């Protein structure tokens, strides 16, 4: 999977932000009374409690799949890959806290009253090999445990086991719902087709027209198969607002002749 080097986004912060509604906003965090309201990851975070702002992994990539062969997920929707907390310089850590790795995400979500979220994930967060549980556990173990604002010392007092992961998956689900890539493309007349091809500029311009910012697109054998949306985070995973910016580099798709294939088995 290709990673990209970020660039300075201070000038973009005032342009737009993506509010992610949280079902947990009524929960007070232990550090909540000392958190600055305007703290944004990858900005001037020196001296700010890591419970209050994502650090060092303050560059967030919301990633989605277009699984066309074999077909996975609804035929008129992309699916979730994850949310990756890269460092502000483009490097990244993975598997940051083995003590918090959960082998069964279904149990974690049901134990925290997130049955509706689990049903949604079974439809929109699917593994190409059919093992959703393995996929979800990998995303949490590798990436979720690296997010500072849901570290154990940042959680509400008396939290149930796995509430940190419940926050993480809920946050990603709400972010995904606010980024309907299929609709972004469809609104510009770009729909899956066996014969049509598109230029990279056509695809990215269509998404920018709807979303406001340029994504990065990856292709497999000349066919569109994944997308990367770039964000910083104002606040925390529990109650924060995503601050989008243009992808600093394009992904692996060629400049021309890109296929957007229908999902098929």
């Amino acid at each position: 999977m290709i990673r990209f080097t970020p660039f300075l986004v201070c000038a973009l912060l005032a342009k737009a932000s993506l509010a992610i509604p949280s079902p947990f906003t009524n929960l007070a965090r232990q550090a909540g009374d000392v958190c600055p309201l305007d703290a944004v990851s990858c900005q001037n975070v020196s001296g700010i409690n890591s419970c209050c702002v994502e650090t060092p992994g303050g560059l967030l990539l919301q990633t989605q799949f277009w699984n066309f062969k074999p077909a996975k997920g609804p035929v008129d929707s992309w699916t979730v890959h994850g949310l990756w907390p890269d460092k502000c310089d483009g490097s990244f850590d993975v598997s940051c806290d083995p003590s918090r790795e959960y082998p069964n995400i279904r149990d974690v979500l049901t134990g925290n009253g997130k049955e509706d979220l689990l049903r949604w994930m079974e439809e929109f967060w699917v593994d190409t090999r059919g093992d959703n549980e393995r996929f979800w556990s990998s995303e949490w173990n590798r990436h979720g445990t690296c997010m500072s604002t849901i570290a154990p010392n940042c959680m509400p007092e008396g939290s149930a086991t796995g509430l940190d992961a419940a926050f993480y998956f809920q946050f990603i689900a709400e972010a995904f719902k606010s980024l309907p890539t299929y609709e972004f493309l469809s609104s510009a007349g770009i729909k899956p087709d066996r014969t049509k091809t598109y230029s990279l500029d056509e695809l990215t311009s269509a998404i920018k027209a709807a979303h406001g910012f340029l994504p990065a697109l990856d292709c497999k054998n000349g066919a569109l198969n994944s997308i990367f949306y770039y964000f910083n985070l104002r606040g925390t995973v529990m109650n924060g607002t995503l601050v989008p910016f243009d992808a600093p580099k394009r992904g692996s798709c060629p400049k021309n002749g890109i296929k957007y294939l229908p999902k098929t088995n």
Side-chain angles (χ1 to χ4, degrees):
M1 188 63 64
I2 294 176
R3 297 277 183 158
F4 306 100
T5 303
F7 67 117
L8 294 177
V9 296
C10 297
L12 294 173
L13 292 178
K15 289 186 177 181
S17 60
L18 184 59
I20 304 299
S22 171
F24 302 107
T25 51
N26 61 325
L27 295 176
R29 291 178 297 108
Q30 296 175 24
D33 60 337
V34 297
C35 287
L37 298 177
D38 58 349
V40 178
S41 63
C42 292
Q43 306 309 306
N44 184 15
V45 299
S46 178
I48 299 178
N49 191 313
S50 62
C51 290
C52 299
V53 65
E54 278 300 325
T55 182
L59 189 157
L60 306 184
L61 276 71
Q62 209 283 315
T63 57
Q64 301 179 12
F65 279 148
W66 178 251
N67 294 315
F68 55 88
K69 187 178 181 181
K72 295 293 182 180
V75 297
D76 59 351
S77 176
W78 289 53
T79 58
V80 183
H81 188 175
L83 184 75
W84 302 338
D86 285 7
K87 295 180 181 179
C88 305
D89 63 3
S91 62
F92 56 93
D93 294 324
V94 294
S95 302
C96 296
D97 188 351
S99 70
R100 292 162 62 215
E101 293 184 356
Y102 300 122
N104 194 318
I105 298 301
R106 287 184 176 87
D107 288 350
V108 165
L109 294 178
T110 55
N112 282 278
K114 305 306 295 179
E115 291 86 355
D116 288 347
L117 172 61
L118 180 57
R119 284 190 289 270
W120 181 89
M121 289 169 60
E122 293 281 14
E123 183 175 6
F124 292 97
W125 199 329
V126 291
D127 181 52
T128 56
R129 292 175 287 182
D131 190 350
N132 293 347
E133 183 65 60
R134 180 205 63 81
F135 188 21
W136 301 337
S137 292
S138 176
E139 288 300 303
W140 164 254
N141 295 341
R142 286 175 57 81
H143 304 294
T145 59
C146 294
M147 304 200 76
S148 71
T149 60
I150 49 174
N153 62 304
C154 305
M155 300 301 295
E157 294 183 14
S159 294
T161 299
L163 182 60
D164 49 358
F167 275 127
Y168 178 72
F169 288 106
Q170 185 73 58
F171 186 72
I172 297 173
E174 298 303 330
F176 175 84
K177 292 174 187 178
S178 70
L179 296 164
T181 302
Y182 187 93
E183 295 177 18
F184 289 166
L185 293 170
S186 180
S187 65
I190 300 173
K191 296 184 178 181
D193 188 277
R194 293 187 183 279
T195 59
K196 288 184 179 179
T197 62
Y198 301 93
S199 69
L200 180 62
D201 183 65
E202 285 178 295
L203 295 170
T204 55
S205 294
I207 295 170
K208 183 173 182 178
H211 169 53
F213 296 85
L214 289 171
L217 301 177
D218 269 6
C219 287
K220 181 179 181 181
N221 298 325
L224 189 61
N225 83 317
S226 59
I227 188 168
F228 303 80
Y229 293 98
Y230 282 74
F231 299 94
N232 292 134
L233 180 62
R234 177 180 287 111
T236 77
V237 171
M238 289 183 269
N239 62 6
T241 301
L242 289 172
V243 180
F245 60 94
D246 288 343
K249 292 184 179 179
R250 67 182 181 89
S252 66
C253 288
K255 291 185 177 180
N256 295 290
I258 301 171
K259 297 177 181 179
Y260 183 25
L261 296 173
K263 293 188 178 183
T264 175
N265 287 317

